[in-house]
Amino acid sequence: MGQSILVVGGGMSGVSAALEAAEAGYDVVLVEKNPYLGGRVAQLHQYFPKLCPPYCGLEINFKRIKSNPRIKLYTMSEVTGIEGEPGNYKVTINQLPRYVNERCTACGKCADAVEATIPSSFDYGLGQIKAAYLPHELAYPYRYVIDPSIVETEDGAKAKEACPYDAVVLDDAPKETIEEAGAIVWAAGWSPYDASKVEYYNFNSSPDIITNVQMERLAAAGGPTGGKIVKLSNGEAPKKVAFIQCAGSRDVNHLPFCSTICCLASLKQATYVREQLKDAEVTIYFIDIRAMDRNEDFYTKVKADEKISFVKSKIGLIEPGENGVLVLNGENTTTGERFKAEHDLVVLATGMQPNTDLSKIPADMVYDEYGFVQNAEGIFGAGTVRRPGEVHVSVQDGTSAALKAIQVVAGR
Amino acid sequence: MATKAYDKSFREEVYQNVDSGEDVKLCMQCGVCGITCPLRDEMTHGPRQLWSLIRAGKRDEVMNSPDIMLCTSCYSCKVRCPRGVKVIDVMHGLAHYALEQGIVPRKETSKFGKAFWDSIYKTGRVDETEVPMRYTMMAGPIHGIFNMLEMMDIGRALLSHKRMKFKIGPGLPPSKKIKGMKGLKKMLNKAKAMSPGKEG
Ligand SMILES: Cc1cc2nc3c(=O)[nH]c(=O)nc-3n(C[C@H](O)[C@H](O)[C@H](O)COP(=O)(O)OP(=O)(O)OC[C@H]3O[C@@H](n4cnc5c(N)ncnc54)[C@H](O)[C@@H]3O)c2cc1C
Ligand code: SF4
Ligand code: SF4
Ligand code: SF4
Ligand code: SF4
């Protein structure tokens, strides 16, 4: 069992692949771009259909990783080169400096000392955070990060001075490492489709037009509003919330495929709104609601709420109305009536674009017309780089990729 | 309960005879075209509903829908349709097909077409004064004069900005002909022979 398996991406797919392979007795190198593991799931408020916090599942996985000496973890790292063939790869890994070493206890004194702020990418740009930060309150590894923008400033020096454990390393530098591996699992996940590309939704024209991933952060206790669903224009509670399905999905001009989860995500988010705001009305505008297999029950349950209504119409235009109201124009395809509907918070249900569409694997790979990767002999896709889907499907896919990788390295 | 099956023959007729008619099959009935169309408030059905009527075999409603001749060829629907349906091509295709069948779904468009054609055929030019005059007069002289009086403010503004020449009536005074009138007529005659209806 000399050869290791290299897993790229520490979301649910990659973590599952890494754990399954390591627990079967294989050495694993796990490479994650973010300073933490968990991927997009770490940013969700609750999971459909059970509406439980995603952290239960994530924490168990982190414990398994922590206690498994076979997993070697690189965070803030990307794979920049792959050479060789199945059974014998040399993989170049580029690691960005964190400026904080493993002595960090996450006491937070550096953040207190620093004045500069940066937009929170964890909150999809909705809030500002200190330039010395813990990525989120349950981050693994549980360690601070110092943003490169302050390293050479007074703030950088202040952070170093404030640290009681000598954990701040201002002369930290990028590192290039070469790892050997027999097989590779590529689980680089997805990105939310850029809503501003759907120009008729005028995404940038109002802070009260948000995307579904931002809605997760609005509802999450650790998010920019402490979990309160408000209109970002004035901090007030919304009264009429709209969800626009297929915002840039199933559209030849944008993502031509169905992401399979955004109908369910909106159903779930409708329950976030109704849970918090007893008087708020929710309207879901859809082409058709796609809630497959066991998720159909969830749809039926949400539909039973009188304050959640469903209108069969793809919205064709969002216009500004009076007093910051947003006017949605559509054609109700059940009644044939063309309508203008006023809402004060609009959520665009954008789809999942595979990260392999945005940046390619540095190896000779085949992709389908949408950028989803197809398996090669020694390099296997896992999770949402292979097809869009929910978490439990990603976990299964990670496991299946681990098995394929094991078949390559076993006995070598 | 007795159910009535859809008449499938009309949709096949459209798929086979109308320009880009088969695109109707691609439509997922989302409603974006109807909302994108700048003439949405003028249209009775809009493209999406027309496609639906085609599929349901409603021949008379489709072939007589003024919408298919109301389209201004702005292309918005074609650009935005999430399924890549060539909406405008089908709209024009349907109008063309209706005329071929001797149906005039929207008389005004047809008349305007004739006024436009006549002006070119006579002088080789589209005369900004002549075309609207001929068009309004087609409804009869009394109606025409009333219509023109209604448009007087616009006419005055166009005159004062030198966007239009003054005329007492169509051909008074006559517009100047272009130089290569003979050659143009040859082309126009050929086009006419190819086009459906009379002056569509
Ligand atoms: C609004 C919304 C709500 C959702 N809610 C639910 C829900 O309630 N229940 C559910 O089951 N599913 C839900 N989903 C789907 C869920 O988010 C996905 O199934 C899940 O994130 C897929 O995991 P993944 O590991 O494939 O990808 P990701 O979560 O994207 O993880 C990929 C990881 O790879 C890393 N990475 C990317 N590129 C590189 C690189 N080049 N090198 C190294 N690392 C890289 C990323 O940083 C990330 O950590 C939701 C999706 C959306 C859009
Ligand atoms: S870097 Fe130092 S000051 Fe900052 S959280 Fe870690 S231990 Fe505390
Ligand atoms: S899951 Fe729903 S919202 Fe998402 S692309 Fe499919 S149909 Fe559209
Ligand atoms: S926009 Fe395209 S898909 Fe949608 S209803 Fe119109 S023709 Fe059909
Ligand atoms: S091309 Fe015709 S049908 Fe299409 S949006 Fe423009 S006017 Fe409407």
Side-chain angles (χ1 to χ4, degrees):
Chain A
M1 291 201 186
Q3 286 189 341
S4 18
I5 292 167
L6 186 120
V7 178
V8 180
M12 281 311 271
S13 318
V15 162
S16 305
L19 276 170
E20 295 298 346
E23 288 174 1
Y26 294 86
D27 287 330
V28 171
V29 178
L30 177 56
V31 183
E32 166 57 52
K33 193 172 159 181
N34 283 332
Y36 58 90
L37 292 182
R40 304 267 174 204
V41 159
Q43 291 158 288
L44 300 179
H45 171 47
Q46 290 176 341
Y47 268 165
F48 61 73
K50 286 197 197 149
L51 304 182
C52 52
Y55 255 86
C56 304
L58 280 176
E59 278 206 299
I60 296 168
N61 282 325
F62 297 161
K63 264 203 197 115
R64 283 162 75 192
I65 290 178
K66 211 172 179 173
S67 62
N68 197 317
R70 289 196 181 277
I71 299 178
K72 182 172 175 188
L73 174 63
Y74 287 84
T75 53
M76 302 184 75
S77 300
E78 279 187 77
V79 165
T80 52
I82 298 174
E83 265 163 51
E85 62 282 319
N88 181 25
Y89 289 112
K90 282 195 171 49
V91 181
T92 312
I93 299 168
N94 250 335
Q95 186 167 38
L96 294 177
R98 186 176 189 120
Y99 304 106
V100 174
N101 65 24
E102 52 289 339
R103 280 198 290 269
C104 173
T105 62
C107 72
K109 293 216 165 78
C110 53
D112 294 340
V114 161
E115 268 156 45
T117 60
I118 51 168
S120 165
S121 65
F122 192 75
D123 291 331
Y124 293 104
L126 286 188
Q128 290 277 324
I129 50 165
K130 285 285 182 70
Y133 62 98
L134 186 64
H136 60 95
E137 73 265 44
L138 294 164
Y140 180 88
Y142 196 56
R143 203 199 297 175
Y144 270 62
V145 184
I146 289 182
D147 193 75
S149 65
I150 63 159
V151 167
E152 286 177 9
T153 68
E154 215 175 292
D155 265 338
K158 277 189 200 159
K160 188 168 175 60
E161 211 171 293
C163 180
Y165 305 99
D166 203 16
V168 174
V169 191
L170 291 177
D171 58 358
D172 200 358
K175 283 183 209 74
E176 192 178 278
T177 316
I178 296 189
E179 286 281 357
E180 289 182 4
I184 297 171
V185 173
W186 201 272
W190 58 278
S191 294
Y193 187 71
D194 180 358
S196 64
K197 285 192 181 155
V198 192
E199 74 278 17
Y200 45 90
Y201 291 157
N202 295 309
F203 178 59
N204 293 321
S205 69
S206 162
D208 298 334
I209 307 176
I210 61 172
T211 62
N212 51 2
V213 288
Q214 291 178 322
M215 185 61 167
E216 293 290 339
R217 298 313 302 149
L218 264 193
T225 56
K228 268 202 177 140
I229 298 172
V230 294
K231 293 189 282 174
L232 293 168
S233 60
N234 58 11
E236 286 172 14
K239 294 193 183 75
K240 290 193 78 184
V241 182
F243 288 89
I244 299 184
Q245 297 313 110
C246 303
S249 291
R250 298 171 64 189
D251 187 333
V252 292
N253 303 306
H254 301 284
L255 299 180
F257 56 88
C258 166
S259 284
T260 73
I261 50 82
C262 12
C263 279
L264 290 154
S266 292
L267 292 170
K268 172 182 71 168
Q269 294 179 352
T271 71
Y272 297 171
V273 175
R274 295 287 300 123
E275 186 92 336
Q276 270 193 31
L277 307 167
K278 296 293 171 214
D279 299 322
E281 283 169 26
V282 175
T283 311
I284 298 179
Y285 297 95
F286 67 99
I287 303 175
D288 32 43
I289 295 288
R290 295 192 166 167
M292 299 306 174
D293 57 67
R294 63 190 182 128
N295 292 316
E296 172 101 34
D297 292 342
F298 182 55
Y299 175 32
T300 313
K301 216 156 68 193
V302 175
K303 246 193 345 196
D305 184 330
E306 287 172 355
K307 294 219 161 177
I308 302 177
S309 45
F310 292 80
V311 176
K312 189 164 165 62
S313 165
K314 183 174 163 81
I315 295 301
L317 177 70
I318 303 179
E319 291 174 310
E322 269 171 50
N323 303 325
V325 156
L326 299 158
V327 184
L328 275 52
N329 290 248
E331 182 180 10
N332 183 323
T333 63
T334 313
T335 62
E337 164 211 18
R338 280 166 226 142
F339 63 84
K340 284 177 187 276
E342 296 193 342
H343 290 277
D344 54 0
L345 178 65
V346 175
V347 183
L348 304 179
T350 51
M352 303 162 94
Q353 185 168 19
N355 281 336
T356 42
D357 190 30
L358 298 164
S359 90
K360 298 282 177 243
I361 302 171
D364 203 11
M365 300 296 284
V366 177
Y367 304 87
D368 72 8
E369 56 192 311
Y370 312 133
F372 291 104
V373 67
Q374 316 210 327
N375 285 340
E377 216 185 311
I379 306 179
F380 308 101
T384 47
V385 293
R386 286 212 319 125
R387 59 177 164 192
E390 57 188 298
V391 169
H392 86 103
V393 176
S394 304
V395 169
Q396 285 168 0
D397 209 45
T399 307
S400 107
L403 182 57
K404 290 194 194 93
I406 287 171
Q407 285 168 348
V408 176
V409 301
R412 281 196 200 245
Chain B
M1 209 173 79
T3 51
K4 192 169 168 274
Y6 284 142
D7 172 10
K8 290 186 198 131
S9 62
F10 180 52
R11 81 173 87 130
E12 289 306 326
E13 190 183 331
V14 169
Y15 299 158
Q16 274 160 34
N17 301 310
V18 170
D19 180 22
S20 304
E22 282 200 289
D23 272 30
V24 170
K25 291 182 190 170
L26 294 174
C27 171
M28 64 174 166
Q29 292 287 303
C30 72
V32 161
C33 50
I35 282 306
T36 302
C37 182
L39 285 164
R40 57 181 175 262
D41 295 331
E42 308 299 322
M43 287 204 178
T44 318
H45 304 108
R48 180 194 67 80
Q49 288 184 39
L50 285 170
W51 304 171
S52 193
L53 291 167
I54 290 171
R55 287 167 169 174
K58 306 279 184 195
R59 190 175 202 281
D60 289 348
E61 271 178 84
V62 174
M63 299 291 266
N64 288 295
S65 171
D67 298 4
I68 59 182
M69 281 190 111
L70 204 57
C71 168
T72 62
S73 313
C74 75
Y75 278 82
S76 308
C77 53
K78 183 171 169 178
V79 168
R80 294 225 175 133
C81 170
R83 299 281 295 151
V85 173
K86 297 188 280 297
V87 182
I88 166 178
D89 302 43
V90 188
M91 292 293 267
H92 285 304
L94 283 170
H96 200 85
Y97 186 58
L99 291 171
E100 256 175 16
Q101 309 285 308
I103 302 169
V104 183
R106 188 172 181 271
K107 300 230 162 45
E108 297 92 319
T109 308
S110 183
K111 279 184 191 157
F112 189 82
K114 182 171 164 30
F116 191 92
W117 178 271
D118 285 351
S119 174
I120 296 187
Y121 204 76
K122 289 205 170 95
T123 64
R125 299 174 200 278
V126 180
D127 188 304
E128 299 85 350
T129 321
E130 199 97 344
V131 174
M133 270 183 175
R134 282 182 191 282
Y135 171 62
T136 42
M137 284 303 189
M138 278 176 193
I142 311 252
H143 232 79
I145 285 169
F146 269 111
N147 280 347
M148 274 197 263
L149 284 175
E150 246 175 58
M151 301 291 280
M152 206 147 84
D153 286 349
I154 297 177
R156 241 192 234 126
L158 286 169
L159 279 173
S160 71
H161 286 91
K162 299 208 161 63
R163 307 296 300 171
M164 196 170 91
K165 276 184 249 98
F166 182 76
K167 286 193 178 193
I168 302 165
L172 298 171
S175 316
K176 255 173 113 186
K177 285 185 187 171
I178 60 158
K179 273 185 193 153
M181 203 52 217
K182 246 192 185 161
L184 181 73
K185 265 210 173 139
K186 249 191 192 163
M187 279 159 64
L188 290 174
N189 285 335
K190 203 166 178 187
K192 200 170 176 178
M194 279 158 55
S195 78
K198 272 173 240 114
E199 279 85 22

